[in-house]
Amino acid sequence: MTNIIVAGAVGLILSMLGTPLAIRLFSRRGIGQEVREEGPQHQGKRGTPTMGGTVFVLASLLAYGASHLVMLEPPTVSGGLVLFLMTGLAAVGFIDDFIKIYKQRSLGLRSGAKALGQLIVGAVFAFLVVRQPNVYGITPAETRLSFLRDFGPSIGMIGFTIWVLIMIVGFSNAVNLTDGLDGLASGATGVVLAAYVLIGNWQLRNNCIDQLGPNCYWVRDPLDLAVVAAAVLGALIGFLWWNAPPARIFMGDTGSLALGGVLAGLAIATRTQLLLIILAGLCVVITLSVIIQVGSFKLTGKRVFRMAPLQHHFELKGWAETTIVVRFWLIAMLCAALGLGLFYVEWMPRP
């Protein structure tokens, strides 16, 4: 438990103090946000420093390292792989943000190039996450689907790799789509990370290695996965202090792709892949709004929403930005609470 507290506290402090330094540095160097011309008018946000995701990604890595240094424990394979996934996707997002700033436009990497970067990072993660068994023969993941735990037969290495890539690309893009209003993506992903702190801690306390039982968990390094979630959560809260409406800095694709990656990585390593769809329900709904909008327009020539992603639909209906953000945060909390409830329900006594 001390590891979790140290990771969260160090991440929070580093991000809280480091973000204003990044704001000043990025402002001096002209690293500002470009704004789309169509849709809701956010011209007042043009020039706001972006690429703030670099701050909480670095703070997360340092916080994770500090927790292990304080406890004099080496990092684990599971924690390292999730952080690798987060950092690799952050690098893809960083390139995307850099192109936007360098060319002074709202679009960075071409969609194909961005997807290729995500697929490369995801493929390396998928290859490694089913290897590296510990002394008990438990690997960070199995080639099976999972909900509250692994279930069903193995889908094979090829099938598992395809599934992992779908998760990684899907959730990194889902968080990226959610990142449209001040503080929205930070708050929405923060509650999911908090859920994974609790999930990792619960899996540790009910690990099959310590107490074999019908509902125990065959999860490698559950404590360290909770430490990873706490480190990123603490860093994200520190960033949200400056990213909340009205935002003084944006996370950019550097941050949004990284956050989607760490959520997917935690889901895979904790064996809760399908549960993430519920825990991160807000991001899923926002992504579905884009799919529905594009599909409807291509098939019928008509739009379902005034604009997609969904948050911009409500902007065009006249809702204030802060109203949308707070209400969407509440929806994100309800989704996370529902996911946690489902996770714990199998431990309830049965008549």
Side-chain angles (χ1 to χ4, degrees):
M1 192 66 180
T2 304
N3 313 50
I4 296 173
I5 295 172
V6 171
V10 173
L12 173 64
I13 293 169
L14 289 177
S15 187
M16 181 78 77
L17 299 178
T19 303
L21 298 177
I23 292 172
R24 290 196 289 271
L25 175 63
F26 293 166
S27 295
R28 284 200 301 267
R29 295 185 174 274
I31 301 176
Q33 177 72 28
E34 290 298 316
V35 178
R36 293 168 60 183
E37 298 296 335
E38 68 275 14
Q41 293 304 303
H42 292 158
Q43 299 305 317
K45 299 182 181 183
R46 186 183 298 275
T48 301
T50 187
M51 294 173 64
T54 55
V55 179
F56 65 73
V57 168
L58 290 173
S60 301
L61 296 174
L62 292 172
Y64 176 80
S67 70
H68 284 277
L69 188 63
V70 168
M71 301 302 296
L72 299 177
E73 295 176 350
T76 67
V77 171
S78 300
L81 284 173
V82 174
L83 290 175
F84 159 77
L85 181 59
M86 178 185 74
T87 308
L89 291 177
V92 176
F94 182 88
I95 296 171
D96 187 53
D97 287 333
F98 181 82
I99 292 174
K100 292 176 186 175
I101 294 163
Y102 179 75
K103 295 193 174 182
Q104 293 293 295
R105 66 187 192 191
S106 60
L107 298 176
L109 277 172
R110 295 183 182 276
S111 58
K114 183 189 288 188
L116 178 61
Q118 293 170 302
L119 290 173
I120 291 173
V121 175
V124 173
F125 175 82
F127 176 79
L128 295 175
V129 79
V130 292
R131 288 164 173 80
Q132 312 297 327
N134 61 10
V135 293
Y136 301 99
I138 306 174
T139 53
E142 296 285 346
T143 56
R144 299 162 66 192
L145 298 178
S146 62
F147 180 47
L148 306 179
R149 59 185 73 248
D150 290 332
F151 67 87
S154 169
I155 58 176
M157 190 61 206
I158 295 177
F160 178 76
T161 301
I162 294 171
W163 169 241
V164 168
L165 291 178
I166 290 172
M167 283 193 65
I168 291 171
V169 174
F171 278 99
S172 58
N173 287 332
V175 177
N176 186 244
L177 291 171
T178 305
D179 183 32
L181 300 178
D182 296 355
L184 179 56
S186 303
T189 53
V191 295
V192 184
L193 289 167
Y196 272 113
V197 173
L198 297 176
I199 288 172
N201 190 52
W202 183 260
Q203 289 178 332
L204 171 70
R205 296 175 183 275
N206 298 279
N207 198 282
C208 294
I209 295 171
D210 298 324
Q211 51 181 41
L212 189 62
N215 289 328
C216 65
Y217 299 98
W218 290 103
V219 175
R220 175 171 180 170
D221 315 313
L223 175 59
D224 208 41
L225 293 171
V227 169
V228 170
V232 181
L233 174 60
L236 194 59
I237 292 172
F239 175 77
L240 181 58
W241 182 269
W242 306 99
N243 180 236
R248 294 185 56 190
I249 188 170
F250 301 135
M251 67 172 65
D253 281 17
T254 306
S256 60
L257 295 187
L259 288 175
V262 77
L263 294 186
L266 286 169
I268 293 164
T270 58
R271 319 292 176 93
T272 56
Q273 299 158 13
L274 296 176
L275 184 63
L276 180 59
I277 297 173
I278 300 173
L279 290 169
L282 176 66
C283 298
V284 173
V285 169
I286 287 175
T287 304
L288 286 175
S289 73
V290 175
I291 295 173
I292 292 169
Q293 184 84 327
V294 173
S296 175
F297 187 76
K298 287 187 175 181
L299 291 173
T300 68
K302 297 180 180 179
R303 293 179 172 87
V304 176
F305 307 103
R306 296 189 180 187
M307 184 178 179
L310 188 60
Q311 60 269 30
H312 298 314
H313 167 78
F314 290 106
E315 272 195 290
L316 292 177
K317 287 191 68 174
W319 288 24
E321 180 174 355
T322 51
T323 300
I324 299 170
V325 170
V326 172
R327 287 177 178 174
F328 275 38
W329 281 351
L330 293 174
I331 294 171
M333 292 176 191
L334 290 172
C335 291
L338 175 60
L340 280 175
L342 291 172
F343 182 76
Y344 288 124
V345 74
E346 68 173 344
W347 286 85
M348 294 178 65
R350 293 175 174 82

